[in-house]
Amino acid sequence: GEGGGVFELDSKHTIAIQFFSFGYRFGQPKDTVFNFNARKLKNPGKCSVGRTGLSARLRKEVLALPGAKELCGQIVERSKNEVLLRKRLMSKKSSTEVDRKQEEEVVVDGEGGDETESREKANAEAPEVAENGHNVVKIGVGCEIGRHRSVSLVVEAAKLLRKEGIVVLEPIHRDIEANKSSASKNARGKRRGGKGKFHER
């Protein structure tokens, strides 16, 4: 299942990936550990008109672009590495807490004054814990407007990671609706013979 495999630390503290697709035009997300830039990929062709990366047909077009599968592979590998890193940090923190508990049992009359400092240090190393108990690794993938290339890569990377037993939370497609009205006006303008001003670069 999605939650199985070596990447699950325990039932209460599963390490999970959450992808954010976004458009660089609207700014990068600030709470991701890393943002991949998909703007170097060529724009999909006419297939993108009226579609987003949630469309299987458009995803196929995007993944067929030169460099797309390689970039998707980089996203998958970085995600796996981040999960493994946090797994090690959590194991280290768990061991530290056990050692601290043993130390507390022998502390007498307030001795061991570095305890607060060491606890703060251990807590600072811990990954973010969401309300559902998952330790969440947030990774961004951006293109120009956040509707085609970035969304396609996020959907594909999430699918590949889940096949490997890594928990992937529902992706957030921040800008998938942005400029939708402009895109529709542009498409209507082209049908009327106009040039249209809007396109994804």
Side-chain angles (χ1 to χ4, degrees), residues 32-53:
T32 48
V33 297
F34 194 84
N35 291 327
F36 285 89
N37 188 346
R39 290 179 295 182
K40 61 185 178 182
L41 300 180
K42 184 180 178 181
N43 275 320
K46 294 181 181 180
C47 179
S48 66
V49 177
R51 293 185 175 89
T52 71

Side-chain angles (χ1 to χ4, degrees), residues 157-172:
K159 182 173 68 174
L160 293 173
L161 286 168
R162 284 168 176 155
K163 284 183 178 179
E164 295 197 36
I166 297 176
V167 176
V168 181
L169 303 182
E170 189 66 25
I172 294 176

Side-chain angles (χ1 to χ4, degrees), residues 114 126-127 131 149 190:
D114 293 334
E131 291 181 2
R149 292 166 289 182
K190 287 184 177 180

Side-chain angles (χ1 to χ4, degrees), residues 145-162:
I145 63 171
R147 299 189 70 224
H148 304 126
R149 292 166 289 182
S150 61
V151 176
S152 297
L153 289 167
V154 160
V155 171
E156 182 66 15
K159 182 173 68 174
L160 293 173
L161 286 168
R162 284 168 176 155

Side-chain angles (χ1 to χ4, degrees), residues 17 24 31 102 129 181:
I17 294 290
Y24 278 95
D31 58 347
Q102 292 173 347
V129 180
S181 59

